Amino acid sequence: MNETHGFFQITQKLFLRNQNSILILRDRKSGHGDLPGGRINEPEFFGDWLEGLKRELREELGENIQYDIEPQPIFFARHRVVEGKYPCLIVAYEGKFLGGDIQLSNEHDYMEWVDRETYNPEPLFKKHLLFAVSSYLQNPAFRGIL
């Protein structure tokens, strides 16, 4: 049997909580739902991955927000990066919004705090990221980690 080794990107996504709500975004290019976070850069791979996630949060949400991130991932999921259609491993974290003004980057054109109990991600989120968001919303173990 001839097997081909795969090459995959790693992306970190944050379920950012504000009391009983989570922050959702919409990707400007695809029009699909997204969460704060993004790909780990090659130099970050052998360092502290949370530093890469914090870099992404600064880029996507601005310099003026405060948050607390639970350092242990809450789960892993598959994803396909829209641009280039690369297979990707999502490392999901949960965080608590502490304050500040969110300033969206040009990567996203919409944001909303949605209720964790009642939000239906299906209209906005697609495929693998839909699975990840649905898994988070439906799992009572993720309610109140922080």
Side-chain angles (χ1 to χ4, degrees):
M1 177 188 240
N2 188 8
E3 292 185 21
T4 303
H5 293 288
F7 291 93
F8 309 96
Q9 293 182 355
I10 299 172
T11 190
Q12 299 181 105
K13 293 295 184 178
L14 181 65
F15 289 94
L16 186 59
R17 284 198 1 242
N18 187 4
Q19 296 178 0
N20 200 42
S21 298
I22 62 165
L23 181 67
I24 60 159
L25 308 172
R26 182 174 60 206
D27 180 79
R28 184 181 301 275
K29 289 181 184 175
S30 71
H32 298 160
D34 198 7
L35 296 168
R39 289 173 251 173
I40 294 176
N41 291 335
E42 191 170 341
E44 295 167 335
F45 182 79
F46 290 102
D48 181 353
W49 285 14
L50 284 180
E51 291 305 314
L53 178 57
K54 290 174 185 176
R55 173 190 52 78
E56 284 286 347
L57 295 176
R58 284 189 303 275
E59 290 174 6
E60 294 182 357
L61 304 180
E63 300 277 343
N64 298 318
I65 69 161
Q66 296 88 44
Y67 50 83
D68 184 22
I69 300 173
E70 173 63 35
Q72 296 302 314
I74 56 174
F75 66 84
F76 299 90
R78 291 179 291 230
H79 182 46
R80 188 166 298 278
V81 177
V82 174
E83 188 175 301
K85 304 213 180 278
Y86 297 107
C88 188
L89 172 70
I90 294 174
V91 181
Y93 296 87
E94 188 175 46
K96 183 177 181 182
F97 179 74
L98 301 175
D101 293 322
I102 294 175
Q103 301 293 316
L104 288 182
S105 73
N106 61 1
E107 293 180 40
H108 300 100
D109 62 4
Y110 173 80
M111 65 169 259
E112 182 180 359
W113 291 101
V114 298
D115 187 289
R116 293 173 63 177
E117 302 290 332
T118 61
Y119 178 64
N120 175 11
E122 287 187 30
L124 187 60
F125 288 88
K126 304 297 178 206
K127 296 186 182 181
H128 302 296
L129 202 50
L130 172 61
F131 176 78
V133 171
S134 296
S135 297
Y136 176 80
L137 293 173
Q138 294 170 8
N139 191 330
F142 301 135
R143 301 190 195 289
I145 289 177
L146 293 176

